[in-house]
Amino acid sequence: MAIDPSEAPTNEPSHQDAVDACKELVKKIEQSLSAIKQTGQFHAEDGQDARAALAAVADCMGADASKFTLVFMGTRPSAVDVISLAQHVSKTVVQFTAWCAAVSIICPAFHREVEAAAEPVLTGMKCIVERVLELNLEREPEPALVGQVHKTVEAFKRFPATEAAAV
């Protein structure tokens, strides 16, 4: 008995799978926003400068924000592209949160600085993903949303090098 090709299961992700991946990303960002307020959950690896690592991963957050525009390239992206982007950004969010926490434990002044700088980055990224969902994955988010993430990431480039500078 032959299988009708129209009834054969497909391994291709659906539009709903892409929507679900974006919704999971929003949840991950929300979890990260609450984790930023706590200290001592993550520790820097031996020999790594946590502030430099945080600045580097903050740059990645800005680049990832731009990818939400680039993935569309004037057309509706495939579900595979959206899922891949959501998974990539989710990993970056976890790294960003971990390095924020690692820097926050250095001293109370750093904790205040990190919290003040990280919240707008994560909130901006969340707004981008929510906007893409509102647009039903059919259009890129407005450039102003992406630009806002780039602007907030800049705070990590000016992050104090010493505890005394952070006070």
Side-chain angles (χ1 to χ4, degrees):
M1 174 174 229
I3 297 176
D4 182 358
S6 65
E7 294 176 13
T10 64
N11 291 335
E12 285 292 313
S14 68
H15 176 78
Q16 187 57 48
D17 293 333
V19 168
D20 292 343
C22 287
K23 287 179 180 179
E24 284 299 313
L25 177 56
V26 168
K27 287 179 189 174
K28 176 70 73 182
I29 294 170
E30 288 170 347
Q31 291 168 349
S32 293
L33 279 164
S34 66
I36 291 295
K37 295 181 182 292
Q38 301 170 15
T39 60
Q41 289 188 342
F42 303 94
H43 299 281
E45 295 177 22
D46 290 337
Q48 267 191 301
D49 180 354
R51 290 172 298 237
L54 176 56
V57 79
D59 276 342
C60 290
M61 290 288 286
D64 286 354
S66 295
K67 290 176 185 175
F68 275 97
T69 299
L70 298 174
V71 76
F72 287 89
M73 300 291 277
T75 63
R76 182 178 183 173
S78 72
V80 172
D81 290 340
V82 173
I83 291 168
S84 176
L85 178 57
Q87 290 170 342
H88 171 78
V89 172
S90 181
K91 290 176 187 174
T92 306
V93 166
V94 168
Q95 291 174 340
F96 179 73
T97 305
W99 283 115
C100 284
V103 171
S104 290
I105 64 173
I106 295 171
C107 70
F110 276 10
H111 177 73
R112 288 189 299 274
E113 295 263 349
V114 167
E115 187 175 340
E119 284 187 44
V121 173
L122 290 168
T123 301
M125 188 65 82
K126 180 182 169 193
C127 288
I128 289 171
V129 178
E130 288 175 338
R131 183 63 180 144
V132 168
L133 285 169
E134 287 172 8
L135 296 169
N136 199 26
L137 307 178
E138 292 179 6
R139 292 193 336 251
E140 69 271 7
E142 290 79 3
L145 290 174
V146 175
Q148 187 61 32
V149 172
H150 283 277
K151 183 178 174 183
T152 59
V153 161
E154 291 297 314
F156 290 95
K157 293 179 182 171
R158 298 183 304 274
F159 202 74
T162 65
E163 290 180 40
V167 175

